[in-house]
Amino acid sequence: MSEVRWLNAEEQEIWRIYMTACNELSAHLDRQLRRDSGMPVAYYEILVCLSEAPGRSMRMSRLAELCRSSPSRLSHAVAALEKAGWVSRCLSETDRRGWVAQLTDAGFAALENAAPGHVTAVREHLFDVLSPGQLEALREISQAIFEGLDKAGRTPGPS
Amino acid sequence: MSEVRWLNAEEQEIWRIYMTACNELSAHLDRQLRRDSGMPVAYYEILVCLSEAPGRSMRMSRLAELCRSSPSRLSHAVAALEKAGWVSRCLSETDRRGWVAQLTDAGFAALENAAPGHVTAVREHLFDVLSPGQLEALREISQAIFEGLDKAGRTPGPS
DNA sequence: GGCAAGCTGTTGAGAGCTCAAACAATCAGT
DNA sequence: ACTGATTGTTTGAGCTCTCAACAGCTTGCC
């Protein structure tokens, strides 16, 4: 029940520029991918995960875990990808509750078509504007933030 | 027309952890604000901008600029905020094309109610997990990314 | 004055997300 | 086996965002 520790001007600026840069970068990449390949970044990441899996296929639950997606969100997304002909679904043979998503040939082709533009944009707007030291710092910073969230998530704390 | 410069394993890890940390932090704060105060972060930011403006009111176009929002998005958002009774709109007196959004007393009260929890969450998950040196680095990194995007936006370049 | 061009903001359709609810298959305990 | 809890996934409603199209006002120029 202690007093709120408000942000001073400097802290507000850091907070604001951090969120702005990340959001604008996400938005830029999403527009690029939609325009050039007709898919949002979230769908691209699903296809990438599938393409790297053995047999280009994976259980829905495992896929959701890798993509940091809720089961519901993944279910909707895979339904859309199925409609586009990029993914197919079939019942798991070992556990009849489960479904296995598989990348189709058309899906793999779409991914091969989309990847160069996407990777080029990431390199241009992230790796080309930061020094090696800054990249290492960014990794450590991001890990600290992520671990802080993760810990709080597992231990239902104050916020 | 040169070859694509793919990301190596280390670069992929940095890219991935950066996006994940920022997205998870955003999602965490959005859930907190929705749960405790019934508004998404995007709406909270609109209310903050208005609360700091003279007369707690501002032209829609200026507000969109400050919130880094498209005119359309802001228009939808303010319509929702008006429905909630937190914002009111009236025609500009100087330019009859324009509208002025104003924070209502109920909107100011909602903001006062929401701010402590939000700021506490930001402090807990950002400022409390990073050292002063990391915060300064994060500011510089974010500025570099943002300026890189901004420049590319004004000069229609490769991506 | 009159007209084209530009600015300001809204609207509607559609896409993707979240949340809560549902449902079927499995597991653990008796 | 039977029952209840748990797991894996889907579904539907509602919300917010994007994009493209539109409408009203203003400005500059003849």
Side-chain angles (χ1 to χ4, degrees):
Chain A
M1 295 299 116
S2 62
E3 278 304 295
V4 176
R5 292 178 295 150
W6 299 102
L7 304 185
N8 64 34
E10 200 180 342
E11 286 167 337
Q12 282 187 45
E13 195 200 321
I14 292 171
W15 164 237
R16 189 170 172 74
I17 188 75
Y18 172 48
M19 276 296 138
T20 299
C22 191
N23 290 341
E24 298 274 314
L25 179 54
S26 290
H28 178 82
L29 295 172
D30 204 56
R31 274 193 302 272
Q32 182 273 326
L33 210 41
R34 288 180 123 102
R35 175 167 36 80
D36 297 348
S37 308
M39 69 179 88
V41 168
Y43 291 10
Y44 176 86
E45 279 165 2
I46 292 172
L47 299 187
V48 168
C49 279
L50 284 177
S51 77
E52 290 171 347
R56 289 181 189 164
S57 63
M58 212 186 298
R59 275 289 284 275
M60 293 294 283
S61 47
R62 175 81 184 124
L63 190 52
E65 200 181 337
L66 282 183
C67 295
R68 310 206 147 272
S69 173
S70 71
S72 167
R73 177 182 171 192
L74 183 67
S75 188
H76 284 298
V78 169
L81 289 170
E82 199 169 24
K83 202 169 165 186
W86 290 340
V87 165
S88 63
R89 264 185 295 195
C90 61
L91 268 169
S92 164
E93 294 170 1
T94 58
D95 182 343
R96 272 180 301 177
R97 288 171 302 183
W99 290 82
V100 174
Q102 177 162 38
L103 193 61
T104 64
D105 289 345
F108 192 77
L111 188 56
E112 280 189 316
N113 169 68
H118 179 66
V119 170
T120 298
V122 171
R123 183 165 290 285
E124 179 184 357
H125 291 294
L126 185 71
F127 293 99
D128 284 356
V129 301
L130 298 179
S131 70
Q134 285 180 314
L135 287 169
E136 176 55 24
L138 183 57
R139 186 230 295 273
E140 286 167 13
I141 288 166
S142 300
Q143 254 161 11
I145 293 170
F146 177 65
E147 280 161 21
L149 286 164
D150 211 37
K151 192 165 60 181
R154 286 199 307 272
T155 319
S159 82
Chain B
M1 291 299 112
S2 63
E3 278 304 295
V4 176
R5 294 178 295 151
W6 299 101
L7 304 185
N8 63 35
E10 200 180 344
E11 286 167 335
Q12 282 187 46
E13 194 201 323
I14 293 171
W15 164 237
R16 188 169 174 74
I17 189 75
Y18 172 48
M19 277 295 139
T20 300
C22 191
N23 290 340
E24 298 273 313
L25 180 54
S26 290
H28 178 82
L29 295 172
D30 204 56
R31 273 192 303 272
Q32 182 271 325
L33 211 41
R34 289 180 121 102
R35 175 167 36 81
D36 297 348
S37 308
M39 69 179 87
V41 168
Y43 291 9
Y44 175 86
E45 280 165 2
I46 292 171
L47 299 187
V48 168
C49 280
L50 284 178
S51 76
E52 291 171 347
R56 290 180 190 163
S57 63
M58 212 186 298
R59 276 287 287 272
M60 293 293 283
S61 49
R62 175 79 183 126
L63 191 51
E65 199 181 337
L66 282 183
C67 294
R68 311 205 147 273
S69 175
S70 71
S72 167
R73 178 183 170 190
L74 184 67
S75 188
H76 284 298
V78 169
L81 289 170
E82 199 170 23
K83 202 169 165 187
W86 291 339
V87 166
S88 63
R89 264 184 296 196
C90 60
L91 269 168
S92 165
E93 293 171 2
T94 58
D95 182 343
R96 272 182 301 181
R97 287 171 303 182
W99 290 82
V100 174
Q102 176 164 38
L103 194 59
T104 63
D105 290 344
F108 192 76
L111 188 55
E112 279 189 319
N113 168 70
H118 179 66
V119 169
T120 298
V122 171
R123 183 165 290 286
E124 179 183 359
H125 292 294
L126 185 69
F127 293 99
D128 283 356
V129 301
L130 299 179
S131 70
Q134 285 180 315
L135 287 170
E136 176 54 25
L138 183 57
R139 185 229 297 274
E140 286 166 14
I141 287 166
S142 299
Q143 253 161 14
I145 293 170
F146 178 65
E147 279 160 22
L149 286 164
D150 210 39
K151 193 165 61 183
R154 287 199 307 271
T155 320
S159 81

